[in-house]
Amino acid sequence: MSADTTPTEAPSGRGARGRRLRRILRGTAIIAGGALVIAIATAWIASQRAPVYSAMAMGVADIGTGTTVVGGDHAHDPTAPPRGGTVSVSELIADPMRPADVHVELVARAETVELAGGDRVAAFTLNGSTPGPEIRAAQGQLVEVVLRNADVPGGVTLHWHGVDVPSAMDGVAGVTQDAVQAGESFTYRFVAEDAGTYWYHSHQLSHSQVLGGLFGALVIEPAAGLSTGDATAVLHTYPGTSRTLNGVSGDVAHEAAPGSTVRVRVINTDNAATAAWVSGGDLRVAAVDGTDVHAPTPVGDRKLLVTAGGRIDVEVAVPATGAVRVQAPGVSLVIGPAGADAPQRPAPDAFLDLLAYGSPAPLAFDPDRPDRSFTYDIGRAPGFLDGMPGVWWTINGRMGDDVPMYMVREGDVVRMRISNSSGEAHPMHLHGHHLLVLARDGVPASGSPWWVDSLHVDHGESYDVAFVADNPGVWMDHCHNLPHASEGLVTHLAYEGVTTPFLLGRDSGNEPE
Ligand code: C2O
Ligand code: CU
Protein backbone atom coordinates (compact mmCIF):
# COMPACT_ATOMS: atom_id res chain seq x y z
CA MET A 1 0.00 0.00 0.00
CA SER A 2 1.63 3.31 -1.07
CA ALA A 3 -0.82 5.99 -0.13
CA ASP A 4 2.07 8.39 0.40
CA THR A 5 2.56 10.82 -2.49
CA THR A 6 4.70 13.36 -0.63
CA PRO A 7 7.64 14.41 -2.81
CA THR A 8 10.87 13.09 -1.38
CA GLU A 9 14.47 14.26 -1.41
CA ALA A 10 17.52 12.18 -1.83
CA PRO A 11 17.73 9.81 1.11
CA SER A 12 20.71 11.32 2.89
CA GLY A 13 21.30 12.61 6.39
CA ARG A 14 19.29 12.68 9.62
CA GLY A 15 16.30 14.63 8.10
CA ALA A 16 15.79 12.09 5.36
CA ARG A 17 15.94 9.17 7.81
CA GLY A 18 13.34 10.90 10.01
CA ARG A 19 11.04 11.48 7.05
CA ARG A 20 11.39 7.89 5.97
CA LEU A 21 10.59 6.68 9.48
CA ARG A 22 7.54 8.95 9.66
CA ARG A 23 6.39 7.66 6.29
CA ILE A 24 6.75 4.06 7.44
CA LEU A 25 4.91 4.79 10.64
CA ARG A 26 2.12 6.56 8.77
CA GLY A 27 1.81 3.65 6.39
CA THR A 28 1.75 1.18 9.28
CA ALA A 29 -0.95 3.19 11.03
CA ILE A 30 -3.05 3.21 7.86
CA ILE A 31 -2.61 -0.52 7.45
CA ALA A 32 -3.35 -1.20 11.15
CA GLY A 33 -6.34 1.15 11.08
CA GLY A 34 -7.64 -0.47 7.93
CA ALA A 35 -7.12 -3.94 9.39
CA LEU A 36 -8.98 -2.92 12.54
CA VAL A 37 -11.89 -1.54 10.54
CA ILE A 38 -11.97 -4.74 8.50
CA ALA A 39 -11.79 -6.87 11.66
CA ILE A 40 -14.62 -4.94 13.30
CA ALA A 41 -16.75 -5.03 10.17
CA THR A 42 -16.12 -8.76 9.83
CA ALA A 43 -17.08 -9.35 13.48
CA TRP A 44 -20.18 -7.21 13.03
CA ILE A 45 -21.26 -9.08 9.91
CA ALA A 46 -20.39 -12.48 11.38
CA SER A 47 -22.42 -11.75 14.51
CA GLN A 48 -25.59 -11.11 12.53
CA ARG A 49 -27.90 -14.02 12.81
CA ALA A 50 -29.97 -15.37 9.97
CA PRO A 51 -33.65 -14.41 10.08
CA VAL A 52 -34.30 -17.99 11.13
CA TYR A 53 -31.78 -20.49 12.46
CA SER A 54 -31.68 -23.72 14.42
CA ALA A 55 -30.50 -23.97 18.00
CA MET A 56 -28.40 -26.87 16.66
CA ALA A 57 -26.39 -24.34 14.62
CA MET A 58 -25.96 -22.04 17.56
CA GLY A 59 -22.74 -22.69 19.38
CA VAL A 60 -19.62 -24.65 18.58
CA ALA A 61 -19.80 -28.32 19.54
CA ASP A 62 -17.75 -28.99 22.65
CA ILE A 63 -17.38 -32.66 23.50
CA GLY A 64 -15.40 -32.03 26.64
CA THR A 65 -12.14 -33.48 27.80
CA GLY A 66 -11.59 -37.01 29.01
CA THR A 67 -14.27 -38.19 26.65
CA THR A 68 -14.65 -41.94 26.59
CA VAL A 69 -14.59 -43.26 23.07
CA VAL A 70 -17.45 -45.72 22.97
CA GLY A 71 -17.22 -48.18 20.09
CA GLY A 72 -14.45 -46.11 18.54
CA ASP A 73 -16.79 -44.01 16.41
CA HIS A 74 -16.51 -40.85 18.43
CA ALA A 75 -14.39 -38.26 16.67
CA HIS A 76 -12.49 -36.39 19.34
CA ASP A 77 -12.68 -33.11 17.51
CA PRO A 78 -13.97 -30.23 19.58
CA THR A 79 -14.59 -28.15 16.46
CA ALA A 80 -16.75 -30.75 14.73
CA PRO A 81 -20.34 -29.61 14.24
CA PRO A 82 -23.03 -31.36 16.25
CA ARG A 83 -23.88 -34.66 14.71
CA GLY A 84 -26.91 -34.82 12.50
CA GLY A 85 -29.59 -35.97 14.84
CA THR A 86 -32.06 -38.66 14.02
CA VAL A 87 -34.31 -38.19 17.04
CA SER A 88 -36.41 -35.03 17.18
CA VAL A 89 -37.01 -33.46 20.58
CA SER A 90 -40.72 -33.66 19.70
CA GLU A 91 -40.53 -37.44 20.04
CA LEU A 92 -39.28 -37.21 23.61
CA ILE A 93 -42.58 -37.24 25.48
CA ALA A 94 -44.37 -38.98 28.33
CA ASP A 95 -46.35 -42.17 27.57
CA PRO A 96 -49.16 -40.81 25.34
CA MET A 97 -51.48 -43.69 26.30
CA ARG A 98 -51.32 -42.99 29.99
CA PRO A 99 -54.29 -41.00 31.27
CA ALA A 100 -53.63 -37.86 33.29
CA ASP A 101 -53.89 -37.94 37.08
CA VAL A 102 -53.85 -34.16 37.39
CA HIS A 103 -55.45 -32.04 34.66
CA VAL A 104 -55.13 -28.26 34.69
CA GLU A 105 -56.21 -25.65 32.15
CA LEU A 106 -54.42 -22.31 32.16
CA VAL A 107 -55.46 -19.29 30.10
CA ALA A 108 -52.80 -16.62 29.59
CA ARG A 109 -53.84 -12.98 29.23
CA ALA A 110 -52.26 -9.54 29.12
CA GLU A 111 -54.20 -7.30 31.48
CA THR A 112 -53.92 -4.78 34.25
CA VAL A 113 -54.43 -6.48 37.57
CA GLU A 114 -54.87 -5.34 41.10
CA LEU A 115 -52.49 -7.31 43.27
CA ALA A 116 -53.86 -8.60 46.57
CA GLY A 117 -52.01 -5.75 48.31
CA GLY A 118 -53.79 -3.12 46.20
CA ASP A 119 -51.06 -2.31 43.68
CA ARG A 120 -52.25 -2.08 40.08
CA VAL A 121 -49.77 -3.38 37.53
CA ALA A 122 -49.82 -3.99 33.81
CA ALA A 123 -49.28 -7.71 33.96
CA PHE A 124 -49.70 -11.11 32.46
CA THR A 125 -52.12 -13.48 34.16
CA LEU A 126 -52.97 -17.17 34.16
CA ASN A 127 -56.67 -17.79 34.81
CA GLY A 128 -56.96 -14.15 35.78
CA SER A 129 -54.30 -14.07 38.48
CA THR A 130 -50.62 -13.62 39.02
CA PRO A 131 -49.00 -15.67 40.36
CA GLY A 132 -50.97 -18.23 38.35
CA PRO A 133 -52.74 -21.07 40.15
CA GLU A 134 -50.53 -23.27 42.30
CA ILE A 135 -50.37 -26.73 40.77
CA ARG A 136 -50.08 -29.67 43.18
CA ALA A 137 -49.49 -33.28 42.27
CA ALA A 138 -48.30 -36.38 44.07
CA GLN A 139 -45.02 -37.99 43.13
CA GLY A 140 -45.60 -40.50 40.34
CA GLN A 141 -48.72 -38.82 38.96
CA LEU A 142 -49.04 -37.78 35.36
CA VAL A 143 -49.59 -34.03 35.15
CA GLU A 144 -51.36 -32.61 32.11
CA VAL A 145 -51.59 -28.85 31.63
CA VAL A 146 -53.41 -27.25 28.71
CA LEU A 147 -52.04 -23.77 28.08
CA ARG A 148 -54.25 -21.42 26.04
CA ASN A 149 -53.06 -18.01 24.97
CA ALA A 150 -56.01 -15.61 24.95
CA ASP A 151 -54.19 -12.45 23.92
CA VAL A 152 -50.56 -12.28 25.04
CA PRO A 153 -48.63 -10.53 22.26
CA GLY A 154 -45.67 -12.46 20.92
CA GLY A 155 -46.95 -15.79 22.22
CA VAL A 156 -46.30 -17.74 25.41
CA THR A 157 -45.01 -21.12 26.63
CA LEU A 158 -44.65 -22.83 30.00
CA HIS A 159 -41.34 -24.13 31.28
CA TRP A 160 -41.39 -26.39 34.37
CA HIS A 161 -38.44 -24.92 36.21
CA GLY A 162 -36.54 -27.62 38.07
CA VAL A 163 -38.66 -30.53 36.84
CA ASP A 164 -36.68 -32.95 34.69
CA VAL A 165 -39.46 -33.34 32.13
CA PRO A 166 -39.10 -35.09 28.75
CA SER A 167 -37.46 -32.66 26.32
CA ALA A 168 -40.59 -31.99 24.21
CA MET A 169 -42.34 -30.71 27.35
CA ASP A 170 -39.62 -28.27 28.39
CA GLY A 171 -41.46 -25.25 27.07
CA VAL A 172 -38.56 -23.40 25.42
CA ALA A 173 -39.82 -21.45 22.43
CA GLY A 174 -37.72 -22.20 19.36
CA VAL A 175 -35.97 -25.17 20.96
CA THR A 176 -38.65 -27.60 22.16
CA GLN A 177 -41.81 -26.05 20.68
CA ASP A 178 -43.15 -23.00 18.89
CA ALA A 179 -44.47 -20.13 20.98
CA VAL A 180 -48.22 -20.48 21.54
CA GLN A 181 -49.71 -17.49 19.74
CA ALA A 182 -52.96 -15.74 20.71
CA GLY A 183 -55.86 -18.10 20.02
CA GLU A 184 -53.64 -21.20 20.12
CA SER A 185 -53.06 -23.85 22.76
CA PHE A 186 -50.43 -26.42 23.73
CA THR A 187 -50.72 -29.42 26.05
CA TYR A 188 -47.92 -30.34 28.42
CA ARG A 189 -47.75 -33.88 29.86
CA PHE A 190 -45.11 -35.19 32.21
CA VAL A 191 -44.76 -37.60 35.10
CA ALA A 192 -44.00 -35.89 38.40
CA GLU A 193 -41.04 -38.15 39.19
CA ASP A 194 -39.40 -36.22 42.01
CA ALA A 195 -41.20 -34.76 45.00
CA GLY A 196 -40.25 -31.17 45.71
CA THR A 197 -40.82 -27.49 45.14
CA TYR A 198 -40.77 -26.17 41.58
CA TRP A 199 -42.28 -23.38 39.56
CA TYR A 200 -43.50 -22.78 36.07
CA HIS A 201 -43.05 -19.74 33.85
CA SER A 202 -43.22 -18.63 30.27
CA HIS A 203 -40.06 -19.26 28.25
CA GLN A 204 -41.05 -16.99 25.37
CA LEU A 205 -39.81 -13.41 25.80
CA SER A 206 -39.16 -14.60 29.33
CA HIS A 207 -37.30 -11.50 30.47
CA SER A 208 -40.52 -9.49 30.15
CA GLN A 209 -43.20 -12.16 30.61
CA VAL A 210 -41.80 -13.58 33.86
CA LEU A 211 -41.24 -10.10 35.27
CA GLY A 212 -44.83 -9.27 34.30
CA GLY A 213 -46.32 -12.26 36.09
CA LEU A 214 -46.53 -15.28 33.79
CA PHE A 215 -45.53 -17.84 36.42
CA GLY A 216 -46.82 -19.94 39.29
CA ALA A 217 -45.80 -22.53 41.88
CA LEU A 218 -45.66 -26.27 41.24
CA VAL A 219 -45.47 -28.55 44.26
CA ILE A 220 -44.94 -32.28 43.91
CA GLU A 221 -45.88 -33.91 47.20
CA PRO A 222 -44.21 -37.15 48.34
CA ALA A 223 -46.11 -40.28 47.29
CA ALA A 224 -46.51 -41.12 50.99
CA GLY A 225 -48.17 -37.75 51.63
CA LEU A 226 -47.08 -34.70 53.55
CA SER A 227 -45.67 -35.29 57.02
CA THR A 228 -45.86 -31.65 58.17
CA GLY A 229 -47.92 -28.56 57.57
CA ASP A 230 -47.20 -27.06 54.16
CA ALA A 231 -47.13 -23.54 52.78
CA THR A 232 -45.83 -21.84 49.66
CA ALA A 233 -44.11 -18.45 49.61
CA VAL A 234 -43.70 -17.22 46.05
CA LEU A 235 -41.47 -14.13 46.00
CA HIS A 236 -41.80 -11.71 43.11
CA THR A 237 -41.17 -8.07 42.35
CA TYR A 238 -43.47 -6.69 39.65
CA PRO A 239 -42.40 -3.65 37.64
CA GLY A 240 -42.91 -0.56 39.77
CA THR A 241 -43.85 -2.40 42.98
CA SER A 242 -42.00 -3.56 46.05
CA ARG A 243 -41.40 -7.28 46.62
CA THR A 244 -44.53 -9.43 46.98
CA LEU A 245 -45.16 -12.79 48.63
CA ASN A 246 -47.95 -14.75 46.92
CA GLY A 247 -48.82 -11.45 45.23
CA VAL A 248 -49.00 -9.42 48.46
CA SER A 249 -46.55 -6.80 49.73
CA GLY A 250 -46.12 -6.99 53.51
CA ASP A 251 -47.48 -9.77 55.73
CA VAL A 252 -49.32 -12.87 54.61
CA ALA A 253 -50.88 -15.08 57.30
CA HIS A 254 -50.73 -18.87 57.23
CA GLU A 255 -52.79 -20.66 59.85
CA ALA A 256 -51.13 -23.48 61.78
CA ALA A 257 -51.60 -24.98 65.23
CA PRO A 258 -49.21 -24.21 68.12
CA GLY A 259 -46.52 -26.87 68.32
CA SER A 260 -46.95 -27.98 64.71
CA THR A 261 -44.17 -28.09 62.13
CA VAL A 262 -44.62 -26.33 58.79
CA ARG A 263 -42.61 -26.64 55.59
CA VAL A 264 -42.45 -23.27 53.89
CA ARG A 265 -41.54 -23.52 50.22
CA VAL A 266 -39.74 -20.31 49.38
CA ILE A 267 -39.62 -19.72 45.61
CA ASN A 268 -37.60 -16.82 44.20
CA THR A 269 -39.05 -15.83 40.83
CA ASP A 270 -37.05 -12.60 40.60
CA ASN A 271 -33.92 -11.88 38.58
CA ALA A 272 -31.74 -11.30 41.63
CA ALA A 273 -30.98 -13.40 44.69
CA THR A 274 -32.75 -12.63 47.94
CA ALA A 275 -32.09 -13.32 51.59
CA ALA A 276 -34.68 -15.20 53.67
CA TRP A 277 -34.65 -15.75 57.42
CA VAL A 278 -36.86 -16.64 60.35
CA SER A 279 -38.06 -14.66 63.32
CA GLY A 280 -39.64 -16.25 66.39
CA GLY A 281 -38.04 -19.66 66.12
CA ASP A 282 -35.39 -21.82 64.52
CA LEU A 283 -35.38 -23.12 61.01
CA ARG A 284 -34.06 -26.15 59.25
CA VAL A 285 -33.35 -26.28 55.54
CA ALA A 286 -35.48 -29.24 54.48
CA ALA A 287 -34.79 -29.03 50.74
CA VAL A 288 -32.93 -27.05 48.11
CA ASP A 289 -34.23 -26.79 44.52
CA GLY A 290 -36.65 -29.66 45.10
CA THR A 291 -34.18 -32.12 46.63
CA ASP A 292 -34.34 -32.96 50.33
CA VAL A 293 -31.28 -32.15 52.40
CA HIS A 294 -29.80 -35.14 54.23
CA ALA A 295 -29.87 -34.72 58.03
CA PRO A 296 -30.53 -30.97 58.23
CA THR A 297 -29.64 -29.40 61.56
CA PRO A 298 -31.18 -26.33 63.20
CA VAL A 299 -29.84 -23.15 61.66
CA GLY A 300 -28.99 -20.57 64.26
CA ASP A 301 -28.32 -16.95 63.49
CA ARG A 302 -27.97 -17.26 59.74
CA LYS A 303 -29.91 -16.02 56.73
CA LEU A 304 -30.46 -18.08 53.60
CA LEU A 305 -29.51 -17.12 50.08
CA VAL A 306 -32.31 -17.95 47.66
CA THR A 307 -30.89 -17.48 44.20
CA ALA A 308 -32.90 -16.27 41.22
CA GLY A 309 -35.08 -19.18 40.09
CA GLY A 310 -34.04 -21.18 43.16
CA ARG A 311 -36.18 -22.69 45.91
CA ILE A 312 -35.46 -23.40 49.54
CA ASP A 313 -37.87 -25.36 51.73
CA VAL A 314 -37.64 -24.04 55.27
CA GLU A 315 -39.00 -26.11 58.15
CA VAL A 316 -40.21 -24.11 61.14
CA ALA A 317 -41.98 -24.97 64.40
CA VAL A 318 -44.97 -22.92 65.51
CA PRO A 319 -44.35 -21.79 69.10
CA ALA A 320 -46.77 -22.53 71.96
CA THR A 321 -47.77 -18.88 71.98
CA GLY A 322 -47.56 -16.39 69.15
CA ALA A 323 -46.31 -17.17 65.68
CA VAL A 324 -43.17 -17.68 63.62
CA ARG A 325 -42.25 -15.53 60.64
CA VAL A 326 -40.44 -16.47 57.48
CA GLN A 327 -39.09 -13.17 56.18
CA ALA A 328 -37.54 -11.76 53.06
CA PRO A 329 -36.90 -8.04 52.63
CA GLY A 330 -40.30 -6.31 52.69
CA VAL A 331 -42.45 -9.45 53.03
CA SER A 332 -43.26 -12.16 55.60
CA LEU A 333 -45.26 -15.31 55.93
CA VAL A 334 -46.66 -15.24 59.46
CA ILE A 335 -47.35 -18.80 60.62
CA GLY A 336 -49.49 -19.54 63.66
CA PRO A 337 -53.07 -19.64 64.96
CA ALA A 338 -55.43 -16.98 63.58
CA GLY A 339 -54.47 -13.52 64.84
CA ALA A 340 -51.13 -14.63 66.29
CA ASP A 341 -48.11 -12.52 65.45
CA ALA A 342 -44.36 -12.52 65.81
CA PRO A 343 -42.12 -9.48 65.75
CA GLN A 344 -40.05 -8.85 62.65
CA ARG A 345 -36.34 -8.90 63.06
CA PRO A 346 -33.53 -7.65 60.91
CA ALA A 347 -31.74 -10.21 58.76
CA PRO A 348 -28.81 -11.98 60.43
CA ASP A 349 -25.47 -10.78 59.08
CA ALA A 350 -24.11 -14.08 57.82
CA PHE A 351 -25.40 -16.48 55.20
CA LEU A 352 -25.75 -20.20 55.86
CA ASP A 353 -23.20 -22.02 53.70
CA LEU A 354 -24.87 -24.99 52.02
CA LEU A 355 -21.44 -26.37 51.08
CA ALA A 356 -21.10 -27.67 54.65
CA TYR A 357 -24.74 -28.07 55.76
CA GLY A 358 -26.30 -31.43 56.70
CA SER A 359 -24.44 -34.75 56.47
CA PRO A 360 -23.01 -36.69 53.55
CA ALA A 361 -25.04 -39.51 52.02
CA PRO A 362 -24.15 -42.13 49.41
CA LEU A 363 -24.47 -41.13 45.75
CA ALA A 364 -25.90 -43.18 42.91
CA PHE A 365 -22.95 -42.31 40.66
CA ASP A 366 -19.24 -41.59 40.96
CA PRO A 367 -18.50 -37.96 40.12
CA ASP A 368 -14.76 -38.70 40.29
CA ARG A 369 -14.95 -40.88 37.19
CA PRO A 370 -16.48 -38.49 34.66
CA ASP A 371 -16.91 -39.39 31.01
CA ARG A 372 -16.66 -35.72 30.06
CA SER A 373 -15.47 -32.55 31.69
CA PHE A 374 -16.50 -29.10 30.55
CA THR A 375 -15.76 -25.52 31.47
CA TYR A 376 -18.43 -22.82 31.57
CA ASP A 377 -16.41 -19.69 32.17
CA ILE A 378 -18.48 -16.52 32.35
CA GLY A 379 -16.88 -13.24 31.37
CA ARG A 380 -17.72 -9.97 29.72
CA ALA A 381 -16.25 -8.31 26.65
CA PRO A 382 -16.98 -5.71 24.00
CA GLY A 383 -18.27 -7.09 20.73
CA PHE A 384 -21.34 -7.64 18.61
CA LEU A 385 -24.39 -9.70 19.52
CA ASP A 386 -26.58 -10.23 16.46
CA GLY A 387 -25.15 -7.06 14.94
CA MET A 388 -25.57 -4.99 18.10
CA PRO A 389 -22.42 -3.44 19.51
CA GLY A 390 -22.11 -3.66 23.28
CA VAL A 391 -20.29 -5.15 26.21
CA TRP A 392 -21.79 -8.61 26.27
CA TRP A 393 -21.54 -11.70 28.47
CA THR A 394 -19.13 -14.30 27.21
CA ILE A 395 -18.89 -18.06 27.72
CA ASN A 396 -15.33 -19.38 27.53
CA GLY A 397 -14.37 -16.02 26.06
CA ARG A 398 -16.88 -16.26 23.22
CA MET A 399 -20.24 -14.70 22.50
CA GLY A 400 -23.26 -15.11 20.26
CA ASP A 401 -23.11 -18.16 18.02
CA ASP A 402 -19.50 -18.90 18.99
CA VAL A 403 -20.37 -20.06 22.52
CA PRO A 404 -19.81 -23.75 23.22
CA MET A 405 -22.65 -26.23 22.76
CA TYR A 406 -22.00 -28.95 25.31
CA MET A 407 -22.37 -32.36 23.70
CA VAL A 408 -23.12 -35.46 25.76
CA ARG A 409 -24.27 -39.02 25.34
CA GLU A 410 -26.97 -40.66 27.38
CA GLY A 411 -25.40 -42.28 30.43
CA ASP A 412 -22.38 -39.98 30.62
CA VAL A 413 -21.17 -38.79 33.98
CA VAL A 414 -20.46 -35.13 33.29
CA ARG A 415 -18.39 -32.68 35.25
CA MET A 416 -18.44 -28.97 34.71
CA ARG A 417 -16.46 -26.13 36.20
CA ILE A 418 -18.55 -22.97 36.24
CA SER A 419 -16.45 -19.91 36.91
CA ASN A 420 -17.27 -16.24 36.83
CA SER A 421 -14.96 -13.31 36.20
CA SER A 422 -17.63 -11.07 34.66
CA GLY A 423 -18.01 -8.55 37.48
CA GLU A 424 -21.56 -9.64 38.43
CA ALA A 425 -23.26 -12.63 40.05
CA HIS A 426 -25.10 -15.10 37.81
CA PRO A 427 -27.78 -17.62 38.83
CA MET A 428 -26.93 -20.45 36.44
CA HIS A 429 -29.77 -22.76 35.42
CA LEU A 430 -29.47 -26.01 33.47
CA HIS A 431 -32.72 -27.43 32.14
CA GLY A 432 -33.70 -31.08 32.42
CA HIS A 433 -31.03 -32.10 34.97
CA HIS A 434 -29.92 -31.50 38.52
CA LEU A 435 -26.35 -30.60 39.32
CA LEU A 436 -24.47 -31.93 42.32
CA VAL A 437 -22.15 -29.33 43.83
CA LEU A 438 -18.74 -30.92 44.38
CA ALA A 439 -16.64 -27.92 45.36
CA ARG A 440 -16.52 -24.16 45.50
CA ASP A 441 -13.22 -22.40 44.80
CA GLY A 442 -11.57 -25.79 45.20
CA VAL A 443 -13.04 -26.44 48.67
CA PRO A 444 -14.89 -29.78 48.55
CA ALA A 445 -18.54 -29.97 49.64
CA SER A 446 -18.65 -31.59 53.06
CA GLY A 447 -22.33 -31.58 54.02
CA SER A 448 -25.41 -33.20 52.56
CA PRO A 449 -25.29 -33.89 48.84
CA TRP A 450 -26.16 -30.42 47.54
CA TRP A 451 -28.27 -30.73 44.41
CA VAL A 452 -29.25 -27.63 42.49
CA ASP A 453 -30.88 -26.58 39.28
CA SER A 454 -30.20 -22.89 39.90
CA LEU A 455 -26.74 -22.06 41.23
CA HIS A 456 -25.66 -18.65 42.46
CA VAL A 457 -22.18 -18.05 41.05
CA ASP A 458 -20.71 -14.83 42.38
CA HIS A 459 -18.05 -12.79 40.65
CA GLY A 460 -14.69 -14.41 41.37
CA GLU A 461 -16.18 -17.79 42.30
CA SER A 462 -15.83 -21.14 40.66
CA TYR A 463 -17.98 -24.21 41.24
CA ASP A 464 -17.27 -27.80 40.31
CA VAL A 465 -20.52 -29.62 39.61
CA ALA A 466 -21.45 -33.04 38.26
CA PHE A 467 -24.50 -34.66 36.78
CA VAL A 468 -25.57 -37.79 34.97
CA ALA A 469 -26.75 -37.27 31.41
CA ASP A 470 -29.98 -39.25 31.83
CA ASN A 471 -32.54 -37.14 29.99
CA PRO A 472 -31.97 -37.01 26.22
CA GLY A 473 -32.86 -33.76 24.52
CA VAL A 474 -31.65 -30.27 23.77
CA TRP A 475 -31.46 -28.29 26.99
CA MET A 476 -30.92 -24.64 27.70
CA ASP A 477 -28.12 -23.80 30.11
CA HIS A 478 -28.38 -20.12 30.96
CA CYS A 479 -28.35 -17.32 33.47
CA HIS A 480 -31.67 -16.88 35.27
CA ASN A 481 -31.15 -13.19 35.66
CA LEU A 482 -33.32 -13.18 32.55
CA PRO A 483 -32.10 -9.91 31.04
CA HIS A 484 -28.62 -11.46 31.16
CA ALA A 485 -29.87 -14.37 29.08
CA SER A 486 -31.15 -11.90 26.50
CA GLU A 487 -27.68 -10.32 26.62
CA GLY A 488 -26.07 -13.54 25.48
CA LEU A 489 -25.60 -15.62 28.62
CA VAL A 490 -27.26 -18.70 27.18
CA THR A 491 -26.10 -21.90 25.57
CA HIS A 492 -27.30 -25.49 25.25
CA LEU A 493 -26.52 -28.98 26.42
CA ALA A 494 -27.30 -31.35 23.58
CA TYR A 495 -27.37 -35.12 23.38
CA GLU A 496 -25.72 -36.71 20.40
CA GLY A 497 -28.33 -37.89 17.93
CA VAL A 498 -31.04 -35.53 19.12
CA THR A 499 -32.10 -32.56 17.05
CA THR A 500 -34.84 -29.97 17.03
CA PRO A 501 -37.16 -29.01 14.19
CA PHE A 502 -37.98 -25.66 15.81
CA LEU A 503 -36.37 -22.41 14.82
CA LEU A 504 -35.03 -19.31 16.50
CA GLY A 505 -34.40 -15.91 14.92
CA ARG A 506 -36.34 -12.73 14.28
CA ASP A 507 -38.59 -14.26 11.61
CA SER A 508 -39.31 -17.45 13.58
CA GLY A 509 -41.79 -16.04 16.08
CA ASN A 510 -39.70 -17.63 18.82
CA GLU A 511 -37.59 -15.70 21.29
CA PRO A 512 -37.03 -17.77 24.42
CA GLU A 513 -35.03 -15.15 26.30
CU1 C2O B 1 -36.62 -20.87 34.73
CU2 C2O B 1 -34.63 -21.49 31.20
O1 C2O B 1 -35.67 -21.18 32.93
CU1 CU C 1 -26.41 -13.42 34.78
Side-chain angles (χ1 to χ4, degrees):
M1 194 186 271
S2 65
D4 193 351
T5 54
T6 316
T8 55
E9 310 170 8
S12 65
R14 197 182 289 241
R17 271 205 302 280
R19 275 196 297 280
R20 201 185 309 140
L21 184 62
R22 276 200 298 279
R23 208 159 58 223
I24 290 169
L25 284 176
R26 210 181 315 136
T28 309
I30 288 167
I31 291 168
L36 188 63
V37 168
I38 289 168
I40 291 174
T42 307
W44 174 64
I45 290 164
S47 81
Q48 290 182 11
R49 288 173 163 157
V52 294
Y53 62 94
S54 169
M56 304 313 292
M58 181 195 148
V60 177
D62 180 347
I63 61 167
T65 55
T67 304
T68 309
V69 179
V70 183
D73 64 339
H74 193 297
H76 194 114
D77 175 6
T79 62
R83 296 194 158 193
T86 49
V87 177
S88 161
V89 285
S90 297
E91 297 167 44
L92 302 167
I93 56 174
D95 177 0
M97 301 310 284
R98 187 176 158 186
D101 301 297
V102 175
H103 178 88
V104 180
E105 310 223 345
L106 297 176
V107 179
R109 283 202 170 76
E111 56 185 330
T112 299
V113 293
E114 186 168 322
L115 299 177
D119 281 326
R120 289 183 69 78
V121 290
F124 301 108
T125 61
L126 288 157
N127 296 1
S129 75
T130 175
E134 176 171 308
I135 299 173
R136 283 207 176 228
Q139 188 176 9
Q141 288 188 320
L142 193 139
V143 179
E144 181 175 271
V145 179
V146 181
L147 168 67
R148 288 180 211 292
N149 181 3
D151 60 3
V152 178
V156 298
T157 66
L158 291 179
H159 166 61
W160 311 93
H161 185 117
V163 185
D164 300 336
V165 297
S167 197
M169 301 289 116
D170 200 38
V172 181
V175 180
T176 65
Q177 67 174 98
D178 281 324
V180 181
Q181 299 299 335
E184 296 178 350
S185 72
F186 187 92
T187 301
Y188 297 92
R189 286 167 52 88
F190 57 87
V191 176
E193 311 251 12
D194 301 307
T197 306
Y198 308 97
W199 62 298
Y200 60 86
H201 62 79
S202 180
H203 223 308
Q204 163 74 349
L205 297 165
S206 57
H207 73 280
S208 71
Q209 293 190 358
V210 177
L211 180 66
L214 254 180
F215 63 87
L218 167 63
V219 175
I220 302 175
E221 299 181 355
L226 298 168
S227 55
T228 63
D230 206 87
T232 312
V234 182
L235 304 178
H236 191 73
T237 311
Y238 293 87
T241 71
S242 53
R243 179 178 281 109
T244 61
L245 188 155
N246 300 345
V248 179
S249 318
D251 287 0
V252 175
H254 178 84
E255 242 182 84
S260 64
T261 302
V262 178
R263 178 185 281 237
V264 180
R265 304 170 183 270
V266 180
I267 305 174
N268 183 6
T269 68
D270 278 329
N271 285 318
T274 184
W277 64 98
V278 165
S279 157
D282 267 345
L283 71 91
R284 287 197 298 172
V285 175
V288 176
D289 284 0
T291 306
D292 277 356
V293 170
H294 182 243
T297 50
V299 174
D301 199 28
R302 290 277 186 279
K303 58 186 170 182
L304 309 174
L305 182 106
V306 193
T307 195
R311 290 86 58 214
I312 294 192
D313 292 10
V314 172
E315 215 171 75
V316 292
V318 182
T321 57
V324 57
R325 258 176 199 268
V326 175
Q327 291 183 239
V331 292
S332 293
L333 191 69
V334 183
I335 305 151
D341 202 1
Q344 296 197 28
R345 69 156 173 153
D349 289 331
F351 282 107
L352 175 73
D353 189 356
L354 293 171
L355 198 68
Y357 181 69
S359 331
L363 297 169
F365 74 108
D366 184 356
D368 291 325
R369 298 180 58 85
D371 299 296
R372 308 191 187 224
S373 300
F374 295 111
T375 16
Y376 194 131
D377 182 17
I378 305 160
R380 200 170 194 186
F384 295 96
L385 187 64
D386 196 9
M388 286 281 291
V391 183
W392 303 110
W393 308 113
T394 58
I395 304 171
N396 295 352
R398 293 163 171 272
M399 63 180 74
D401 287 355
D402 293 334
V403 297
M405 174 183 254
Y406 301 107
M407 300 298 299
V408 294
R409 279 191 174 174
E410 189 170 3
D412 282 348
V413 170
V414 183
R415 274 179 84 122
M416 191 177 266
R417 173 165 294 172
I418 309 171
S419 53
N420 176 4
S421 57
S422 70
E424 277 188 48
H426 300 287
M428 299 309 297
H429 173 52
L430 171 62
H431 287 209
H433 302 76
H434 279 77
L435 306 170
L436 177 70
V437 176
L438 303 173
R440 182 183 58 227
D441 298 335
V443 179
S446 56
S448 162
W450 178 15
W451 289 94
V452 295
D453 53 61
S454 309
L455 180 63
H456 188 82
V457 185
D458 247 320
H459 170 71
E461 280 185 337
S462 87
Y463 276 91
D464 290 311
V465 298
F467 64 95
V468 179
D470 57 1
N471 196 5
V474 180
W475 304 100
M476 257 200 179
D477 191 355
H478 66 98
C479 177
H480 220 280
N481 185 336
L482 297 170
H484 288 184
S486 63
E487 294 157 9
L489 196 32
V490 45
T491 185
H492 298 88
L493 171 81
Y495 282 64
E496 285 182 8
V498 180
T499 188
T500 173
F502 302 104
L503 294 169
L504 296 161
R506 60 185 164 280
D507 289 354
S508 68
N510 296 317
E511 194 177 340
E513 296 90 16

